[in-house]
Structure formats: C-alpha cells, structure tokens
C-alpha cells in the first residue's frame, strides 16, 4: 500500500506549499536525530523527509497525486532515505531548526566598530550646574593610507581561488540517513571571498589605526556618579573602515570638602558655641551660589537641621533644584576659667536649675549634666 504523504505531514490534500513547508519544519524540529535519538523516531523522521521531498516538488507532487511513483519517475532521488534530497540543501536544515535560512555568500570586510567608555572626573559645582569638558580619547580611526580598504596603495583585494569568491566551501559526507552537504567558511579567505595579497603597511590590512583625539563633551546639570553620556559615532571605527561605535563618558564626582551629596540635596554641618545656640546668631556659609548667612534662632539644639531651599543640585530631569540642609552642632566648652564658671553657676541659679539640695526640676537634668561636664573639664 502506498504511503500517504499528506497524512505523514498532517496536512490536507489541498494544502498550499507554505502549509506543507510549515508542517515539515514543525515535525523536523521534534524528530531530528540530534534532538531525539530514539530509533523509532529516526524512522519517523525518514518518513517526513521523504514526504516533504515529494510534496515540496511540484513535478513529483503531480505524479504522486495521479497515483504514480514520484521517486522512480524522478530517477530514484534517494528514496525514503534521501536525507539530502528531502531537505533540498543545508539551508532547509537551518531553517527547520532556527526558523531562518543560513546566510550564504561572502561576509563583508566592513563591520561596525565596538563601543568605548572612559571615566571623567568632575567637581560638585560642575555636576550641579553643568559644564563642557575637553577630553582625550585613544580609539581606532580609519587608516589614512588605504582609506580603510586594507590593501597597500596601488593594489586591490583579489577573488579567493579556493572558494571562487563565495566565502564558503561545501563538503559532502555520508551518514545512516544518506548524503549530507554542509558548508563552512573558506579557510583561505576566512569567509570574505577575497584575499589581500599586499596588506597596507600602515594598518597591516585592518583598515584602521589607533589615534588620540580631543573631543568636547557637554555635561548636563544634575549628573551624578555613574551617569553615562552617549556620544554617538565617537567610539571605535570598525574593521575595514566600518562605521564607528559609540563612546560613553561615565561621570565620577569628586568629593567636596564641605558638602555631602544625597541625591539632589546637599548636607553640611556648622558648629556654634553654646552661647550662640542659646542667644541666636547668624553664621556665614559659602554655598554653591555664593556666601549666605544661616539664621540660628535662639534655643537651637544640637542636631537640629536648617533647610536652605533651592540651594542644592539641579534636577537632571525636570526643573528646580534640591535643598541645602545645614546640620547644627552645639559645642560645649571643655574648660572654664573661675569667672566663667561663676557666671554659669549664677545663670543656673537664676533659671532655677541648681538647688542647694542637689535636686533638679524635671526636664533639666540633661542641661545640668552638660554644665557639670563643662565644669569638670570633660
């Protein structure tokens, strides 16, 4: 009984060539010996291979539909074991397993270059308000001697005599499934299809040389550590004078002697004496915008923070700026002369913070402890 090739592939008798090819690809992925080495699966694989050989060929399909033997009518064709005939060529195998046909023909000597990255140190002020910087980069550029061709002046690339310009060579091997034709890059021309008999003496045939260049980089306001600025087309020129990759400039913000950055806010600490914290004062502070006075209100406690709005770093995305947070540290005197000590005792007595019995009002123990430490020279 003749084999029903339509049933083997699981398609209707009126299926289109596209439907037949899709069914074959799906089954080939499932049943290929490299994927499923089971002997029964291998027999099944031979069947779908033979079915596809017949149904994918209009002439053989016509003979089969009329009830004839398409394989004998076509001169045998390898029968059901014709692995190479069933797939047609190596591209069908690649198409079945990877969903696309293998690319044939020589590969281009011209390829895109790699991306490059350098680190740029900037000051806090430059990060806050933006700036421009001149940087020097060492990258590959197009060879001026051969203009990227790779051949010495007066010479040109020649067609490879091994692959005859195809860039690949084919090899036929036999397996239990029949003959298999495989292709691989030509070992003589490395798949380019051409050879360069006389390479350029400047670039040794690569079509590019290394050179130091000076670039001007615009640093936007608000950048931070790790921010990368992309300079399109300023990276490495590709082999054969191909398009250049991109250059990435990674920002590194140098530490500031006064301010610590947290996001777009800046923080700093000012130290004032105990009397200034009690009576209030104004402390001059050099901000990123110039000198300003920080208003210390009477009774300010150590650890209290005073915000100066819009004195921080510019927001990288969107308008406005962060704040400058001033942290106050109250300094308690560690040594007092007799007159100063007497004045503090009199103050404590006037405020009712010291009693002859050594008892203290609730909430005043902390203040007296600090005064006592000052008296004892701590």
């Amino acid at each position: 009984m003749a084999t029903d090739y339509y049933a083997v592939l699981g398609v209707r008798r009126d299926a289109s060539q596209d439907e037949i090819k899709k069914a074959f690809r799906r089954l080939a992925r499932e049943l290929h010996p490299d994927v499923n080495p089971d002997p029964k699966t291998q027999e099944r694989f031979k069947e779908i291979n033979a079915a596809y050989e017949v149904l994918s060929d209009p002439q053989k399909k016509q003979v089969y539909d009329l009830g004839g033997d398409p394989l004998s009518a076509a001169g045998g064709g390898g029968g059901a074991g014709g692995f190479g005939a069933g797939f047609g060529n190596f591209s069908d195998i690649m198409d079945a397993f990877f969903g696309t046909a293998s690319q044939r023909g020589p590969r281009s000597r011209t390829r895109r270059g790699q991306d490059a990255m350098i680190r740029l140190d900037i000051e806090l002020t430059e990060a806050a308000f933006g700036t421009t910087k001149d940087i020097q980069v060492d990258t590959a550029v197009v060879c001026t001697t051969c203009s990227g061709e790779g051949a010495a002046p007066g010479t040109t690339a020649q067609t490879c005599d091994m692959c005859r310009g195809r860039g690949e060579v084919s090899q036929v091997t036999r397996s239990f499934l029949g003959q298999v034709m495989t292709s691989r890059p030509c070992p003589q021309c490395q798949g380019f299809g051409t050879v360069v008999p006389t390479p350029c003496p400047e670039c040794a045939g690569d079509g590019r040389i290394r050179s130091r260049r000076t670039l001007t980089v615009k640093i936007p306001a608000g950048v931070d550590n790790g921010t990368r600025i992309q300079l399109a087309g300023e990276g490495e020129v590709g082999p054969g004078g191909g398009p250049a990759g991109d250059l990435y400039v990674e920002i590194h913000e140098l530490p500031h002697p006064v301010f610590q950055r947290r996001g777009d806010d800046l923080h700093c600490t000012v130290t004032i004496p105990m009397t200034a914290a009690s009576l209030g004062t104004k402390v001059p502070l050099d901000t990123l915008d110039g000198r300003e006075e920080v208003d210390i209100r009477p009774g300010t406690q150590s650890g209290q923070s005073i915000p100066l709005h819009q004195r921080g770093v510019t927001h990288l995305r969107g308008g406005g700026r962060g704040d400058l947070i001033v942290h106050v540290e109250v300094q308690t005197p560690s040594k007092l002369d007799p007159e100063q000590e007497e004045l503090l005792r009199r103050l404590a007595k006037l405020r009712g913070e010291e009693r002859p019995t050594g008892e203290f009002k609730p909430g005043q123990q902390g203040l007296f402890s600090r005064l006592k430490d000052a008296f004892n020279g701590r």
Side-chain angles (χ1 to χ4, degrees):
M1 183 175 180
T3 303
D4 186 349
Y5 290 141
Y6 291 100
V8 170
L9 293 182
V11 296
R12 305 185 311 274
R13 297 190 68 85
D14 60 347
S16 64
Q17 285 295 320
D18 187 57
E19 291 174 332
I20 293 173
K21 189 171 185 178
K22 286 182 179 179
F24 169 71
R25 290 178 183 171
R26 175 178 54 81
L27 293 171
R29 292 191 186 98
E30 298 175 0
L31 303 174
H32 192 276
D34 290 343
V35 178
N36 196 334
D38 184 82
K40 294 183 179 180
T41 303
Q42 294 177 15
E43 291 299 325
R44 172 73 171 139
F45 182 75
K46 292 179 182 179
E47 292 179 0
I48 68 165
N49 186 45
Y52 181 70
E53 177 187 352
V54 171
L55 299 183
S56 64
D57 187 317
Q59 294 182 350
K60 294 181 180 179
K61 182 175 183 297
Q62 185 179 15
V63 173
Y64 174 74
D65 290 339
L66 293 175
D69 185 352
L71 297 180
S72 62
F83 181 93
F87 273 98
N89 53 44
F90 186 65
S91 64
D92 284 342
I93 301 177
M94 297 298 292
D95 199 11
F97 282 93
F98 300 105
T100 180
S102 60
Q103 296 183 353
R104 292 182 173 275
R107 62 191 179 103
S108 175
R109 290 185 179 272
T110 302
R111 300 192 302 276
R112 183 184 183 275
Q114 294 182 344
D115 296 336
M117 187 179 70
I118 64 172
R119 194 175 83 161
L120 178 63
D121 295 337
I122 63 173
E123 302 287 345
L124 173 61
T125 305
E126 296 172 327
F129 301 116
T131 185
T132 57
K133 288 280 192 179
D134 289 336
I135 60 174
Q136 289 188 333
V137 293
D138 291 316
T139 57
V141 298
V142 176
C143 176
T144 56
T145 302
C146 66
S147 300
E149 296 294 331
T155 66
T156 59
Q158 298 179 1
T159 302
C160 176
D161 56 8
M162 177 176 286
C163 66
R164 300 184 184 277
R166 294 192 304 271
E168 60 183 11
V169 292
S170 301
Q171 182 179 5
V172 178
T173 57
R174 298 188 61 85
S175 70
F176 66 93
L177 294 174
Q179 292 184 343
V180 180
M181 177 180 291
T182 59
S183 298
R184 59 188 177 89
C186 174
Q188 180 167 295
C189 66
Q190 309 303 317
F192 294 118
T194 59
V195 293
V196 181
T198 310
C200 172
E202 184 69 21
C203 65
D206 191 39
R208 55 183 181 168
I209 58 175
R210 300 203 69 82
S211 176
R212 173 168 294 185
R213 298 176 292 149
T214 300
L215 301 175
T216 300
V217 184
K218 183 178 180 181
I219 309 298
V223 296
D224 201 351
N225 272 323
T227 300
R228 292 185 178 180
I229 302 171
Q230 181 181 10
L231 302 180
E234 297 293 351
E236 301 276 347
V237 166
D246 298 334
L247 174 65
Y248 291 88
V249 180
E250 185 175 88
I251 299 300
H252 177 251
E253 185 181 299
L254 298 173
H256 193 274
V258 176
F259 303 117
Q260 296 83 43
R261 180 175 176 178
R262 301 174 190 171
D264 290 338
D265 292 335
L266 299 178
H267 295 257
C268 70
T269 301
V270 295
T271 302
I272 60 175
M274 181 178 62
T275 52
S278 300
L279 302 175
T281 187
K282 292 184 180 295
V283 178
L285 178 65
D286 290 327
T287 69
L288 298 183
D289 300 272
R291 173 158 289 201
E292 298 188 24
E293 288 189 339
V294 181
D295 186 17
I296 306 295
R297 297 184 179 182
T300 296
Q301 302 296 307
S302 186
Q304 188 172 338
S305 60
I306 303 172
L308 299 182
H309 300 294
Q310 297 291 312
R311 295 295 186 273
V313 177
T314 303
H315 298 314
L316 181 60
R317 295 176 179 82
R321 296 170 57 183
D323 298 331
L324 170 58
I325 312 299
V326 181
H327 301 272
V328 179
E329 182 180 87
V330 178
Q331 186 179 41
T332 303
S334 58
K335 292 184 179 181
L336 298 172
D337 58 33
E339 184 178 0
Q340 293 172 337
E341 184 176 342
E342 179 59 29
L343 288 174
L344 285 179
R345 288 185 181 277
R346 289 172 58 187
L347 174 62
K349 186 175 181 180
L350 289 173
R351 291 174 57 85
E353 296 169 351
E354 182 178 9
R355 293 184 177 182
T357 58
E359 297 179 356
F360 309 98
K361 294 180 179 180
Q364 296 177 342
Q365 292 89 335
L367 174 62
F368 187 80
S369 297
R370 290 197 298 273
L371 292 174
K372 182 177 179 182
D373 291 340
F375 299 155
N376 295 333
R378 296 183 183 177

